[in-house]
Amino acid sequence: MNLAPVEESIEELIEADTANILFASFEKNDLDTTILDNSGLAYDQILLDGGKDNANPVFNFMTLKPALDHATASDFSLIIGTDSKNERITLAVKKDEKSGFVILNSHQLAAILLNIWKESGKYEDLVCLKSIHTSDLVEYMAIKSGLKFQSEIIEPGELRNSLTEIQKAYPNSPVCAFNIDQQVCHSVLDFSGIILEIAQKENELKASGQTFFDYLMGIYHEFGFYKEKTITVDLNTDAQRSHLLSIMDNLRKNPKSLESTFPLNSVTDYKKGVKFNILTDKLNSFAGSTENILKIESANNLSVTFAPSKTKMVYYISIKGGFISKEKYVLRNKEMDAEILRVIQMFNRGL
């Protein structure tokens, strides 16, 4: 009896159910592959050119393009960008097997990792820490899931130090942390351990006929579709700078001043260390900062964080929409972009 065709069919079935993952990094030997070799995962690695002329490269379309081209030509199901020195991660995922890759932003990665860790059951009493500029979705997920949560001003590259400080308050709890600069930390897992859990989740999703994009849609379905955007406005004149700073000052002095045009739920002043709940007239205090940062949250699920410098005004915007399907993701994304732009134009005009 000839068993060869049967054996070949089994091998093909195993290969079809196994994710083929491409790891992309800026430096050779960025990732300790021993743990990946022992896991039985199918993977390859590619070295990106972005690190040659930039001491601190970031993952974006331009730096990831060689990986995107290689992964498309060689039928990889997931690209994981790794920067172990700076503890930064990015994911490029497929909507389905026939589509091209979509690069997820740091907000989406944070939501995915938080969901993986809270669903796993391995990290009892998990504490979640995030930068104030990271999506409100992460905060909503943590609170709704009953996790301890903290949001702070965290400078680029400072996530590990912030996690260490939070760990002092929760010495017996695992802590996960996210920053807007693609930095991810976990008190129990080292960098390779985080990468392994992402790869294992991809393998699990692949076996069930899903992708990480499907997984992200599941998160949006449960917690709502959030869109985030960072907009930077150059302050070319003293008059323009005074104009935008006066808006912040007016909001501090009279949080109810926007009731007719932009009704608010709360105003958080990170410089003074106070959050004023407009609906209840309650004032909550927390540790203040030297940074002149102000966050307003509207009654229609939109928040704007003002972060001015000498030459720029940076707006961090998060908006929550309703149910989103995979088919209407692109259209709804554009609609919410337009809504965010309208809000920023309103502030630039002086309301």
Side-chain angles (χ1 to χ4, degrees), residues 334-347:
K334 289 181 179 179
E335 291 174 346
M336 294 174 85
D337 270 338
E339 192 168 346
I340 287 171
L341 182 59
R342 180 186 63 81
V343 171
I344 295 306
Q345 288 173 338
M346 181 177 69
F347 280 111

Side-chain angles (χ1 to χ4, degrees), residues 89-109:
I89 303 169
T90 200
L91 298 182
V93 307
K94 285 188 171 185
K95 290 184 180 178
D96 51 59
E97 290 187 0
K98 296 181 180 179
S99 68
F101 284 93
V102 177
I103 301 174
L104 302 186
N105 59 40
S106 59
H107 311 283
Q108 293 168 324
L109 174 64

Side-chain angles (χ1 to χ4, degrees), residues 8 10 13 58 107 137-138 140 142 153 168 178 180 220 224 238-239 243 260 273 283-284 287 301 317 323 338 345:
E8 289 175 4
I10 292 173
L13 181 62
V58 295
H107 311 283
L137 171 59
V138 176
Y140 183 60
I153 297 173
K168 294 176 183 177
F178 309 99
I180 197 173
Y220 286 148
D238 290 340
H243 162 68
S260 61
L283 198 67
N284 295 319
N301 295 312
I317 306 104
F323 173 75
Q345 288 173 338

Side-chain angles (χ1 to χ4, degrees), residues 293-348:
I293 295 178
L294 192 75
K295 180 177 181 179
I296 60 173
E297 297 173 71
S298 78
N300 59 345
N301 295 312
L302 185 144
S303 71
V304 181
T305 302
F306 303 82
S309 67
K310 289 184 178 180
T311 59
K312 300 178 185 297
M313 171 65 83
V314 182
Y315 300 99
Y316 297 92
I317 306 104
S318 178
I319 183 171
K320 181 181 179 182
F323 173 75
I324 182 72
S325 66
K326 185 160 68 170
E327 293 73 24
K328 293 185 177 181
Y329 174 79
V330 174
L331 176 61
R332 185 65 183 124
N333 226 16
K334 289 181 179 179
E335 291 174 346
M336 294 174 85
D337 270 338
E339 192 168 346
I340 287 171
L341 182 59
R342 180 186 63 81
V343 171
I344 295 306
Q345 288 173 338
M346 181 177 69
F347 280 111
N348 287 340

Side-chain angles (χ1 to χ4, degrees), residues 180-321:
I180 197 173
D181 64 349
Q182 302 175 329
Q183 196 176 13
V184 176
C185 297
H186 196 292
S187 63
V188 175
L189 298 169
D190 61 14
F191 189 79
S192 295
I194 295 174
I195 297 301
L196 178 62
E197 292 207 343
I198 294 172
Q200 288 174 329
K201 188 64 180 183
E202 168 68 7
N203 221 36
E204 176 189 318
L205 291 168
K206 173 78 172 177
S208 63
Q210 294 185 304
T211 67
F212 259 119
F213 194 84
D214 294 312
Y215 190 69
L216 179 63
M217 290 299 107
I219 294 172
Y220 286 148
H221 181 72
E222 181 177 358
F223 298 102
F225 178 46
Y226 284 73
K227 169 73 177 179
E228 302 81 19
K229 203 169 189 68
T230 301
I231 296 179
T232 302
V233 176
D234 290 326
L235 303 179
N236 298 315
T237 65
D238 290 340
Q240 185 183 22
R241 175 178 168 79
S242 297
H243 162 68
L244 293 178
L245 291 179
S246 69
I247 293 175
M248 296 175 64
D249 289 338
N250 289 336
L251 287 169
R252 285 187 170 101
K253 294 172 183 175
N254 185 11
K256 296 183 180 182
S257 61
L258 300 182
E259 275 186 320
S260 61
T261 57
F262 197 75
L264 300 180
N265 284 343
S266 66
V267 175
T268 304
D269 187 343
Y270 288 91
K271 189 173 185 178
K272 292 183 178 179
V274 293
K275 180 174 182 177
F276 178 62
N277 188 316
I278 295 173
L279 302 180
T280 63
D281 279 336
K282 288 186 177 179
L283 198 67
N284 295 319
S285 299
F286 56 90
S289 168
T290 58
E291 301 292 331
N292 181 22
I293 295 178
L294 192 75
K295 180 177 181 179
I296 60 173
E297 297 173 71
S298 78
N300 59 345
N301 295 312
L302 185 144
S303 71
V304 181
T305 302
F306 303 82
S309 67
K310 289 184 178 180
T311 59
K312 300 178 185 297
M313 171 65 83
V314 182
Y315 300 99
Y316 297 92
I317 306 104
S318 178
I319 183 171
K320 181 181 179 182

Side-chain angles (χ1 to χ4, degrees), residues 39-109:
S39 70
L41 294 166
Y43 74 93
D44 197 1
Q45 294 178 281
I46 186 171
L47 185 64
L48 303 173
D49 293 332
K52 288 182 178 179
D53 301 319
N54 190 339
N56 189 27
V58 295
F59 294 112
N60 54 34
F61 178 78
M62 292 304 297
T63 56
L64 282 171
K65 193 173 186 311
L68 294 167
D69 292 341
H70 180 57
T72 301
S74 304
D75 199 29
F76 285 89
S77 59
L78 174 70
I79 301 170
I80 304 179
T82 68
D83 178 1
S84 61
K85 181 174 66 177
N86 298 298
E87 298 184 282
R88 294 187 304 196
I89 303 169
T90 200
L91 298 182
V93 307
K94 285 188 171 185
K95 290 184 180 178
D96 51 59
E97 290 187 0
K98 296 181 180 179
S99 68
F101 284 93
V102 177
I103 301 174
L104 302 186
N105 59 40
S106 59
H107 311 283
Q108 293 168 324
L109 174 64

